[in-house]
Amino acid sequence: MRIVVVGGGMAGTIFANNLARRLSSELRAGKARITMLTASDRHVYQPGWLYVALGRMTPDELEREQASLLEPGIGLHVDPVKQFNLADNNVVTEAGKTHEYDLLVIATGSRPVPEDIPGLQENAIHCYSADNAMKFYDRLNEFKGGRILVTVGLPHKCPMIPLEITFCMHDFVRERGLLDKTEFYYTYPIGRSHSLENVAKWASPEFEQLGIRQETFFNLKEVDGANAVARSEEGSEIKYDLLVTVPPHRGQKVIEANNLGANGFIPTDRASLHMQGEHGNNVIVLGDTTNLPISKAGSTAHFEAEVAAENVASLIKTGRAVRAYDGKVFCFIEAGRGRATYAMFNYSKPPQPKAPNAAMHAFKMAYNKLYWASARGVL
Ligand SMILES: Cc1cc2nc3c(=O)[nH]c(=O)nc-3n(C[C@H](O)[C@H](O)[C@H](O)COP(=O)(O)OP(=O)(O)OC[C@H]3O[C@@H](n4cnc5c(N)ncnc54)[C@H](O)[C@@H]3O)c2cc1C
């Protein structure tokens, strides 16, 4: 059985390691082979970019060699895929190599596209790469007061970041004694402050307590940098002194170029995680790349990867898949003033965020270090 995993991020790495452990004897006997094709020799813990933007972590703390994270027996090639020939059961890489498979796992993630909105890229700061997170810190550090406007594009990875970044910037400004000179203005594209209703019910009063102004139904249309104004599709205009954005996302260009899914997100079965359609029988999709109606989060990638690895191992050993993904997601939410809460939910059970506390914040900070054990499949 030749298993080819495309993408060495959270989903691809956790899947490959989990599967390699389950199939250690099959791998040794040459009955199974796991090949990973990825775009970088570095593995990045992206959630840490939030803390880089706030000056609390440095980018090097968030990276490891991809090869150092993989179980023995996984063949790693840092050679991105450019062509998916699903009818012929093979993929072709940028270097021109063809890899045949019996099972293909696609986990290429998603990418921010601030360039899709006129003026956004040039005028806003965000924390969706190490470089951008460092620029974010510089601009926040230079800020001397005025209006901080937060805009949010959908879909985006990390469902909680609009809230977290706002609470954390509020701390940053307060700690520098600038709170009385600063107005926070939070906007959100739908009719409440977060896509998850119970999270919105928890967050909005927290914002009110801190004096953070909120505007819903604000879908950013364009940013006029010369006049420092953000305009929405709904006709609203908001002036800003510092524009902070959670940019909209798409899947990878390679997914769009191969017509695997609109905007780079692949139609995926919500329970089996197989690609929908003609070739779905031997194609699994994991992590941000799916079009599933759930959060694009590391925890989603993690829980999906575990289900998929268990199923593939069971198929190889017994001829049957044994688990269905139930939509499980777990997200910490930094709530400012050294506190955090969390949202745990699935397709049928909505989250019930509790009052934030210091212990949950400490837990999130600890997880930021423990992630590497997760990636290796130990945690
Ligand atoms: C600022 C920030 C904060 C976040 N905070 C949280 C949080 O608190 N909690 C949480 O759960 N999640 C959080 N996330 C989201 C989380 O990081 C992503 O949802 C997660 O990384 C998705 O995993 P993935 O494997 O689908 O994609 P990724 O981890 O992005 O991996 C994609 C992989 O595909 C590879 N690749 C790309 N193109 C190709 C190609 N053509 N061929 C082969 N390989 C390719 C890349 O090199 C990469 O290895 C955060 C993200 C950001 C940016």
Side-chain angles (χ1 to χ4, degrees), residues 7-11 37-39 46-47 80-81 108-109 127-128 158 287-288 297-299:
M10 287 196 179
L37 306 172
T38 191
Q46 299 171 30
V81 168
T108 45
C127 60
Y128 277 85
C158 188
D288 289 357
S299 68

Side-chain angles (χ1 to χ4, degrees), residues 5-14 36-51 53 66 77-84 92-94 106-112 126-129 133 156-161 164-165 249 252-255 286-290 295-302 304 329-334 364 367-368 371:
V5 181
V6 181
M10 287 196 179
T13 301
I14 294 171
M36 174 176 284
L37 306 172
T38 191
S40 169
D41 62 352
R42 309 294 290 168
H43 187 107
V44 182
Y45 176 63
Q46 299 171 30
W49 289 334
L50 168 67
Y51 303 93
Q66 178 66 14
H77 302 263
V78 181
D79 183 8
V81 168
K82 73 165 186 207
Q83 215 175 308
F84 290 86
V92 180
T93 66
E94 299 273 358
I106 308 179
T108 45
S110 62
R111 65 196 165 100
H126 65 79
C127 60
Y128 277 85
S129 71
H156 63 80
K157 60 183 153 188
C158 188
M160 304 308 170
I161 203 106
E164 294 190 293
I165 201 84
H249 278 58
Q252 298 299 349
K253 285 182 184 158
V254 68
I255 304 296
L286 300 176
D288 289 357
T289 316
T290 75
S295 303
K296 299 205 176 299
S299 68
T300 312
H302 185 144
E304 287 175 350
V329 181
F330 177 99
C331 287
F332 290 107
I333 315 174
E334 288 285 14
K364 180 164 189 191
Y367 184 77
N368 288 339
Y371 167 70

Side-chain angles (χ1 to χ4, degrees), residues 19-32 317:
L19 187 64
R21 281 163 191 257
R22 290 174 188 276
L23 293 183
S24 55
S25 49
E26 286 80 359
L27 288 171
R28 272 197 305 274
K31 290 184 184 154
K317 291 171 195 252

Side-chain angles (χ1 to χ4, degrees), residues 196-238:
L196 296 160
E197 192 175 354
N198 287 348
V199 172
K201 280 185 183 155
W202 162 78
S204 278
E206 292 268 334
F207 278 167
E208 273 162 31
Q209 248 181 35
L210 297 173
I212 296 171
R213 200 163 158 184
Q214 302 170 60
E215 180 166 327
T216 56
F217 288 124
F218 187 94
N219 285 279
L220 187 63
K221 183 172 139 201
E222 60 183 12
V223 179
D224 171 355
N227 294 303
V229 170
R231 299 195 181 94
S232 74
E233 297 285 356
E234 291 80 3
S236 169
E237 285 201 357
I238 307 177

